[in-house]
Amino acid sequence: MKPVMLDTDILSLYFRGNEKVVFHMEKYLANNRLINISIITYYEIISGLKHCDSKKQLDKFLEFSKLNNILPLTKESAVVAAEIYAIQRKKGKAIDDIDLLISGIAITNNLILITHNSRHFSKIPNLEILDWSN
């Protein structure tokens, strides 16, 4: 299987113990050393946990992050995201900036995006998506 990058919603489901997501994560890690997440997802998870004042869950996530790969937003991924933005705006189908940046990172790194939000991400050309919660 091609390497993957987890979207925020899937990572949240994983930490909540969703059986299907946990199963797919374990299956993936049996053949791959690391999980990839974007710096955008890293931000979203941390900001949400800080907002909820969930110190225990925050510590658990930070430990998980140390053991895995956090992909940065680069100039190249920002340009890819901007191109997607322009194409979608011309079609009258605006996409949230966060989703665009996550998509740019996944495309630039040639990764499958694992998300439960296929409604938004399926609009993006050249982005492979899977949903581990199904």
Side-chain angles (χ1 to χ4, degrees):
M1 172 185 230
K2 185 174 170 179
V4 303
M5 184 175 85
L6 302 186
D7 189 22
T8 308
D9 58 355
I10 291 291
L11 199 51
S12 294
L13 289 170
Y14 171 75
F15 280 106
R16 285 191 223 128
N18 178 286
E19 290 180 16
K20 291 179 182 178
V21 173
V22 170
F23 169 79
H24 285 290
M25 181 85 86
E26 289 172 354
K27 186 176 173 183
Y28 179 80
L29 286 171
N31 297 310
N32 297 275
R33 209 170 54 88
L34 299 171
I35 290 291
N36 296 298
I37 63 172
S38 72
I39 192 65
I40 310 301
T41 292
Y42 183 82
Y43 159 78
E44 286 187 305
I45 296 286
I46 288 178
S47 63
L49 292 173
K50 284 186 174 278
H51 172 72
C52 295
D53 203 23
S54 299
K55 173 99 173 87
K56 186 177 176 182
Q57 289 177 329
L58 178 60
D59 290 344
K60 188 176 176 181
F61 174 71
L62 292 174
E63 188 61 33
F64 171 89
S65 298
K66 287 179 192 175
L67 301 173
N68 289 289
N69 192 28
I70 301 170
L71 298 168
L73 178 64
T74 62
K75 288 180 187 178
E76 185 182 1
S77 58
V79 168
V80 168
E83 289 170 352
I84 297 165
Y85 169 84
I87 291 166
Q88 295 303 314
R89 278 294 300 261
K90 286 176 184 172
K91 292 179 179 179
K93 298 178 181 180
I95 298 173
D96 181 66
D97 287 328
I98 295 281
D99 291 346
L100 289 169
L101 294 171
I102 289 170
S103 298
I105 293 169
I107 292 168
T108 302
N109 288 281
N110 195 28
L111 301 169
I112 298 170
L113 181 64
I114 307 301
T115 184
H116 187 57
N117 190 358
S118 59
R119 186 178 52 138
H120 289 166
F121 287 107
S122 64
K123 299 175 189 174
I124 299 173
N126 302 320
L127 178 66
E128 293 180 68
I129 60 172
L130 287 175
D131 186 349
W132 281 358
S133 66
N134 290 332

